[in-house]
């Protein structure tokens, strides 16, 4: 297992549409292990493969509520198959947009279909933080970031801040 570097704004790889996983190979298992390790170390509650520069439809997540209890989860080729009319607001953050948090409104409940690391297909109903997080992560697989849901003013402000920071870091 290894901790990988997380890419941040304005890295254009974050806008790629990730490719479906055709076969669960030892390399995919190793990648999922590295993603879990990287996610816990960050720390974050979810990670999409593109955040470590791998454009594959693979997500890791741990939204366990109990302090000290781990619930590491892997989602392969996840899809949202239905969404509630009801919406809910959560303050979101993203490991690829460090130290920036804003409220985002999304469907409160979703039904998700995915494959686990053994290739078994599951369908689950998600609500609360799980629903928010799975939507945030599936957005990453489609090149979408939570700042895309904010006003143009807020989005431009955060994009500019990260573009400037990258320019300064490169000098
Ligand atoms: O760690 C994370 N916390 C979080 C909080 C609210 C809504 C979504 C998230 S996901 C984020 C990690 C991340 O960037 N995943 O892509
Ligand atoms: Ni994110």
């Amino acid at each position: 297992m290894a901790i990988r570097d997380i890419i941040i704004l304005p890295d254009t790889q974050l806008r790629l549409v990730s490719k479906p996983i055709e076969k669960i190979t030892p390399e995919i298992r190793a990648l999922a292990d590295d993603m879990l390790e990287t996610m816990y170390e960050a720390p974050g509650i979810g990670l999409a493969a593109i955040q470590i520069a791998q454009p594959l439809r693979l997500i890791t997540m741990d939204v366990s509520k109990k302090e000290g209890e781990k619930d590491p989860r892997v989602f392969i080729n996840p899809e949202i198959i239905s969404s509630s009319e009801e919406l809910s607001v959560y303050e979101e953050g993203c490991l690829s947009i460090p130290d920036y948090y804003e409220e985002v409104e999304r469907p409160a409940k979703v039904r998700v279909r995915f494959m686990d690391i053994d290739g078994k297909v599951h369908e689950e109903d998600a609500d609360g933080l799980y629903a928010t997080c799975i939507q945030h992560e599936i957005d990453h697989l489609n090149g979408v970031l939570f700042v895309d849901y904010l006003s143009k003013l807020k989005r431009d402000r955060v994009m500019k801040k990260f573009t400037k920071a990258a320019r300064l870091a490169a000098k």
Side-chain angles (χ1 to χ4, degrees):
M1 295 234 287
I3 291 165
R4 312 258 197 124
D5 286 334
I6 296 175
I7 61 173
I8 65 169
L9 278 182
D11 195 318
T12 56
Q13 292 177 88
L14 291 167
R15 295 309 188 173
L16 292 174
V17 177
S18 294
K19 296 262 184 315
I21 290 173
E22 308 274 0
K23 192 163 178 272
I24 302 164
T25 60
E27 288 73 26
I28 294 294
R29 288 170 188 271
L31 176 59
D33 280 349
D34 284 359
M35 284 172 60
L36 281 166
E37 194 178 356
T38 303
M39 178 185 85
Y40 283 120
E41 197 263 346
I45 59 170
L47 192 72
I50 193 58
Q51 293 181 274
I52 57 163
Q54 303 295 314
L56 293 167
R57 302 189 83 83
L58 174 63
I59 287 167
T60 57
M61 200 183 299
D62 188 332
V63 289
S64 68
K65 290 184 196 94
K66 293 190 200 120
E67 190 77 24
E69 269 183 49
K70 275 191 174 184
D71 181 23
R73 307 200 59 193
V74 176
F75 299 78
I76 296 170
N77 302 336
E79 291 172 72
I80 288 171
I81 54 178
S82 65
S83 306
S84 64
E85 297 262 337
E86 185 200 341
L87 304 175
S88 75
V89 175
Y90 260 95
E91 183 169 85
E92 298 197 18
C94 182
L95 294 171
S96 297
I97 314 173
D99 305 315
Y100 184 76
Y101 305 91
E102 279 288 350
E103 289 189 334
V104 177
E105 192 174 49
R106 300 183 185 267
K109 296 176 184 172
V110 294
R111 189 164 178 81
V112 57
R113 182 187 294 144
F114 61 95
M115 222 185 271
D116 67 22
I117 200 67
D118 298 314
K120 188 168 183 272
V121 177
H122 300 261
E123 271 187 33
E124 282 181 14
D125 289 310
D127 64 10
L129 185 59
Y130 178 23
T132 292
C133 194
I134 194 76
Q135 291 176 80
H136 174 117
E137 302 310 338
I138 291 174
D139 274 353
H140 275 301
L141 305 186
N142 296 322
V144 174
L145 301 170
F146 83 88
V147 294
D148 299 343
Y149 300 105
L150 307 180
S151 68
K152 180 169 160 37
L153 178 71
K154 282 186 178 169
R155 185 170 56 256
D156 286 353
R157 213 185 267 153
V158 66
M159 294 303 298
K160 208 173 153 187
K161 182 182 142 189
F162 279 90
T163 302
K164 187 176 173 188
R167 191 168 65 236
L168 291 171
K171 277 193 181 156

